[in-house]
Amino acid sequence: DKAAAEAESALRLLPTLQPALLLKAQLHNEAGEAGDAALAAKQCCLLDAVSKETRRACSDILAELGEQLDDRVPRTHKFCGGRLQQDPCSMVDKVTGVEVQGCGMSECNGLYEASRQSSNHQPVFENLHGFRLSLEMVPAKNAGGVRYSWVIGRDRVGFFGALADQEKRLPPSDGWRCFPAAGGVAVPTSCVIKTTQMPEAAGRGYQALLSKDGASQAVETLSAFLQQHGAANNLQARAAVLTDLATALRQTASLDRALSKVNEALELWPGHWD
């Protein structure tokens, strides 16, 4: 018990610490806690630059438990409960980030990751320097109406903008122009979209979360999805859905349930976010 507590303390400080994850897997296995042992072994093997010795030790534990060395939720784990099958399902792309390149303002360059905020039914992306990339409505010239543009700005000041594709509404690769606040520096030359795949049903819940007053619908959709057979049966996908659900629960003031889902997501996929 003391050894397990020390391993957990180490993982709270550094969730990707290989020796602590391996020790956790070994301790749970010796205690007959198959689900927790398999989860820790899989998490350890999925780390970058895992040593051959560590991978071999984790593989031995998984083989002993009748589990595969993959990114699936262990069939004996409490979060699975035997419900998750490896059934195929329709997948859709979820935009997780945008890589901005070639801008004359160096702090505007780099990876913009999706935040938990939205603007006009699209996620707001943020980089390490406080710049935000968001879809905004701007006046349309000679039309008397509005149109949608992606804007790079900081502290509510826009520096660069580009018209959005009217169908997909994704950040464009080119067509950027400079706003006065940017002082005439070179505009971004490209934007590379980073995506991950998620089940179509979970995608509907995510889109509801991005819409105005859609949190309640997102809670209903994502909660129902997680109860389905074959729903998000790999570690990262399930953790991502749980995080979206927690965000929706927070917006509906269901704080205890939100915290529970966050803890479940972190237990499944700690420290592995791309």
Side-chain angles (χ1 to χ4, degrees):
D1 290 344
K2 185 176 180 180
E6 293 297 337
E8 290 291 354
S9 295
L11 290 171
R12 278 195 292 271
L13 292 172
L14 183 59
T16 58
L17 186 62
Q18 288 185 32
L21 276 171
L22 174 57
L23 178 59
K24 181 179 179 180
Q26 292 169 331
L27 290 169
H28 280 303
N29 191 35
E30 291 167 2
E33 298 163 348
D36 290 329
L39 179 60
K42 290 191 177 196
Q43 289 170 338
C44 189
C45 285
L46 291 170
L47 293 173
D48 293 331
V50 62
S51 68
K52 292 182 179 179
E53 293 78 10
T54 298
R55 180 177 292 275
R56 186 181 305 111
C58 290
S59 297
D60 290 343
I61 292 173
L62 291 170
E64 180 182 338
L65 296 172
E67 294 278 359
Q68 298 295 317
L69 202 171
D70 55 23
D71 62 356
R72 304 282 182 177
V73 178
R75 55 185 175 77
T76 54
H77 194 271
K78 61 185 177 182
F79 291 151
C80 176
R83 292 182 292 102
L84 298 182
Q85 308 295 324
Q86 296 187 16
D87 301 331
C89 62
S90 299
M91 305 292 285
V92 295
D93 286 334
K94 175 183 179 180
V95 179
T96 58
V98 180
E99 184 82 26
V100 175
Q101 303 171 346
C103 181
M105 188 176 293
S106 61
E107 290 186 336
C108 283
N109 290 319
L111 179 63
Y112 287 67
E113 295 183 309
S115 71
R116 291 292 154 184
Q117 301 178 52
S118 63
S119 176
N120 294 300
H121 308 293
Q122 292 293 329
V124 174
F125 302 91
E126 298 180 356
N127 77 357
L128 293 176
H129 303 291
F131 278 89
R132 292 158 59 96
L133 173 63
S134 58
L135 183 65
E136 307 291 346
M137 288 193 300
V138 297
K141 293 182 179 179
N142 306 321
V146 295
R147 57 186 177 180
Y148 289 97
S149 289
W150 283 94
V151 175
I152 297 175
R154 183 167 62 182
D155 299 329
R156 299 183 180 276
V157 177
F159 289 81
F160 306 96
L163 288 177
D165 181 282
Q166 295 303 307
E167 182 178 352
K168 295 184 178 180
R169 290 192 177 179
L170 294 176
S173 180
D174 51 21
W176 290 88
R177 60 190 179 90
C178 191
F179 293 158
V185 301
V187 301
T189 56
S190 70
C191 287
V192 181
I193 307 296
K194 308 289 186 179
T195 63
T196 187
Q197 286 209 313
M198 66 188 307
E200 185 177 8
R204 290 196 297 270
Y206 177 67
Q207 289 302 317
L209 181 59
L210 293 177
S211 64
K212 185 178 179 181
D213 302 322
S216 295
Q217 181 60 49
V219 169
E220 181 180 343
T221 302
L222 294 172
S223 296
F225 168 73
L226 287 170
Q227 297 302 315
Q228 296 175 6
H229 288 281
N233 55 0
N234 77 60
L235 297 172
Q236 187 177 22
R238 189 168 180 83
V241 174
L242 286 164
T243 303
D244 289 339
L245 176 55
T247 301
L249 287 166
R250 179 172 179 263
Q251 292 180 11
T252 59
S254 301
L255 301 185
D256 289 342
R257 289 183 63 199
L259 183 59
S260 174
K261 298 306 177 185
V262 165
N263 287 335
E264 186 176 338
L266 289 172
E267 186 169 347
L268 284 172
W269 197 251
H272 291 266
W273 298 101
D274 292 332

